[in-house]
Amino acid sequence: MHNGAMAKITILRTDITTLDVDAVVNAANRQLAGGGGVDGAIHRAAGPQLSAACRKLRETSLPDGLPTGQSVATTAGNMAAKWVIHTVGPVWAKTIDKSDQLASCYRTSLQVADEVGAKTIAFPTISAGVYGYPMDEATRIAVETCQQTDTAVETIYLVAYSAEAEAEYRTALENS
């Protein structure tokens, strides 16, 4: 049971792969195969242990890949973090509201963080890169979901990869 205290949310503009936190969240693809953007950067920084751990998941518990909105933890390999929590964000669509799937990425990542005992976690801006989610909406959903999720995590870092992302996070936090 958690004490109901809210995790502290801190906005950073930095390279997520260099952070000394318990868990770094990876905006993964369904195959957990590494790719572009933050996913590729995390795979490069973590080294071969991460690819091996992802392959093992695909061969065992996740033969069909990781469903959108779900999360799973692996080693962080060569990174300072202890764990990488992989989550698959939705691809933005103008005609379909996928905000529940995006919120689920943050919620399930925090649940996995609790399961592994992480007290500090760093999130990238899930779905706001190649998946095309509008930055204002992606950052608002991130802030609101992190505030509303009951977790034992003490500090949540929302990591902006651009000045736009940083500004939108700050606006979302001020308006929450």
Side-chain angles (χ1 to χ4, degrees), residues 92-107:
W92 188 75
K94 200 177 346 196
T95 55
I96 306 163
D97 179 7
K98 296 186 178 180
S99 55
D100 55 332
Q101 289 181 328
L102 185 53
S104 179
C105 290
Y106 290 93
R107 217 175 9 259

Side-chain angles (χ1 to χ4, degrees), residues 35-168:
V38 73
D39 190 13
I42 286 172
H43 272 264
R44 284 189 297 278
Q49 301 100 309
L50 183 58
S51 296
C54 289
R55 247 191 329 277
K56 189 171 188 317
L57 283 172
R58 288 300 311 275
E59 290 164 6
T60 55
S61 56
L62 295 169
D64 299 322
L66 186 63
T68 300
Q70 297 303 300
S71 303
V72 65
T74 64
T75 177
N78 298 327
M79 293 195 313
K82 295 183 185 81
W83 298 281
V84 172
I85 298 175
H86 307 267
T87 192
V88 181
V91 175
W92 188 75
K94 200 177 346 196
T95 55
I96 306 163
D97 179 7
K98 296 186 178 180
S99 55
D100 55 332
Q101 289 181 328
L102 185 53
S104 179
C105 290
Y106 290 93
R107 217 175 9 259
T108 62
S109 292
L110 289 167
Q111 288 164 357
V112 170
D114 287 346
E115 288 164 18
V116 299
K119 295 296 177 199
T120 54
I121 190 170
F123 283 97
T125 315
I126 299 166
S127 289
V130 291
Y131 282 12
Y133 231 89
M135 190 61 73
D136 58 340
E137 207 173 323
T139 52
R140 179 186 56 77
I141 291 167
V143 167
E144 288 176 1
T145 307
C146 287
Q147 288 176 331
Q148 293 163 3
T149 302
D150 184 30
T151 179
V153 170
E154 293 163 7
T155 306
I156 297 170
Y157 295 99
L158 296 176
V159 180
Y161 61 88
S162 66
E164 180 198 9
E166 184 180 19
E168 291 290 357

